[in-house]
Amino acid sequence: MKSKPRHILFFFTYLWLFSCKESSLSSNDSLLALIPLLGASANASVCPKSTLPSDIYLANTVVSASANVSGFSDPKKAINGVCGSGELAGSLDVYALETTGAGASMVLSWGGRTVKNVPDSIDFIIYDNSFRISGDTNTYAMDPSVIQVSRDGSIYCGFNPSYTAGNINLLTSWTKFGGLRPVFYNMTTNPLSNEDLFISTGIPFLLGGGDGFDLDDLDPTDQNAPSCDTTTANDIKTNGFKFVKITSASNVINPATSSNFPWPPGSYNGSDIDGVVARELQ
């Protein structure tokens, strides 16, 4: 988890301190400072729902997961619904990956169903728990993840992500990664339809947040998917995929440097997975 999502502890500590002594802040300033914490703690108490909405095409099966990050080691958190906390706070209902090793990856599926390639559309969305950390709307505490898909669970194709070596917390420094954008969709407090989730509000956000991927962008030259060739990539583009692999970028080689992709400061583990939603299934 990123260090800031420890806000529930900070929230109660702040309340205790505020009630015991005068503050130099005005009451309005104090309330404004608490808004992100109140939002995250409130969302955590009511989400996920006991019954998932049937019209949301969530990945519902954990195929593999071996991370053991204290407090966030239940892989079912990656399939129990999306509980985003908005732009200023990260969800706590997540499964945390490791930064390196086998625990840096997990594989999800839709229980045997296939995610279709919808023409002229994003085909699936990765939900993490990134949040804005400055007045610059392009600067986020993020958990970049490398996304790959497969029809058979053996041969995976990727999107050839790239990092520009700029400011590590800038969205524009990262291209074709998951774990970059905040999550506005919350199945309890901000319910949206599956169709709504794929509506673009203009660069760089979808209506429900998260990071969208278009199967037409699969790249058989991706060096981190060496088993994928043009035939395999075209097969997925034509017939869809059944499995999605999510890997913390810190465990993946950046072809531009031959070293692992860097990891943003403020995280003591890898990517935090809140869910994956498909546009259409068959």
Side-chain angles (χ1 to χ4, degrees):
M1 292 296 295
K2 292 174 281 295
S3 57
K4 285 193 177 182
R6 298 174 182 173
H7 39 44
I8 289 183
L9 174 61
F10 296 160
F11 168 63
F12 288 112
T13 303
Y14 184 95
L15 285 182
W16 180 81
L17 292 171
F18 184 72
S19 64
C20 293
K21 65 179 182 179
E22 290 187 30
S23 170
S24 59
L25 295 174
S26 70
S27 59
N28 285 341
D29 288 339
S30 299
L31 288 173
L32 287 173
L34 284 172
I35 286 174
L37 307 184
L38 286 167
S41 59
N43 287 347
S45 68
V46 297
C47 190
K49 291 182 176 180
S50 57
T51 302
L52 296 178
S54 60
D55 63 333
I56 303 297
Y57 302 138
L58 281 160
N60 57 13
T61 304
V62 176
V63 178
S64 65
S66 60
N68 189 29
V69 176
S70 179
F72 302 94
S73 59
D74 182 1
K76 292 181 181 178
K77 296 289 188 180
I79 59 172
N80 70 344
V82 178
C83 299
S85 294
E87 189 170 16
L88 299 177
S91 172
L92 301 178
D93 184 71
V94 296
Y95 174 64
L97 300 179
E98 307 282 357
T99 54
T100 59
S105 293
M106 80 177 309
V107 176
L108 301 176
S109 78
W110 283 259
R113 300 187 71 184
T114 299
V115 178
K116 296 173 60 177
N117 185 353
V118 179
D120 302 316
S121 173
I122 288 168
D123 298 302
F124 65 100
I125 304 170
I126 304 293
Y127 294 103
D128 197 283
N129 68 351
S130 302
F131 55 93
R132 183 159 57 88
I133 56 176
S134 81
D136 182 345
T137 56
N138 192 35
T139 306
Y140 290 82
M142 59 179 68
D143 302 320
S145 56
V146 172
I147 308 302
Q148 299 175 326
V149 295
S150 173
R151 284 187 57 78
D152 61 5
S154 176
I155 299 176
Y156 283 85
C157 291
F159 296 86
N160 205 8
S162 63
Y163 170 67
T164 64
N167 184 324
I168 199 169
N169 289 109
L170 290 181
L171 288 180
T172 52
S173 296
W174 304 84
T175 303
K176 297 181 181 178
F177 288 85
L180 304 182
R181 293 165 178 80
V183 179
F184 309 118
Y185 172 50
N186 183 294
M187 57 194 296
T188 301
T189 61
N190 184 29
L192 297 168
S193 70
N194 208 78
E195 183 177 356
D196 289 339
L197 296 176
F198 289 83
I199 294 175
S200 174
T201 62
I203 297 174
F205 298 120
L206 296 168
L207 185 62
D211 298 283
F213 291 82
D214 185 341
L215 290 180
D216 287 331
D217 292 331
L218 284 174
D219 188 344
T221 69
D222 188 338
Q223 295 181 36
N224 285 297
S227 297
C228 178
D229 56 20
T230 300
T231 300
T232 304
N234 286 341
D235 184 27
I236 295 174
K237 292 177 184 181
T238 302
N239 299 303
F241 71 92
K242 295 179 182 291
F243 304 91
V244 57
K245 180 189 290 186
I246 306 170
T247 304
S248 301
S250 52
N251 197 50
V252 177
I253 297 294
N254 178 358
T257 64
S258 299
S259 299
N260 287 19
F261 286 106
W263 194 244
S267 294
Y268 65 88
N269 57 267
S271 300
D272 300 316
I273 312 306
D274 196 5
V276 183
V277 173
R279 178 71 185 266
E280 291 186 17
L281 295 176
Q282 61 184 24

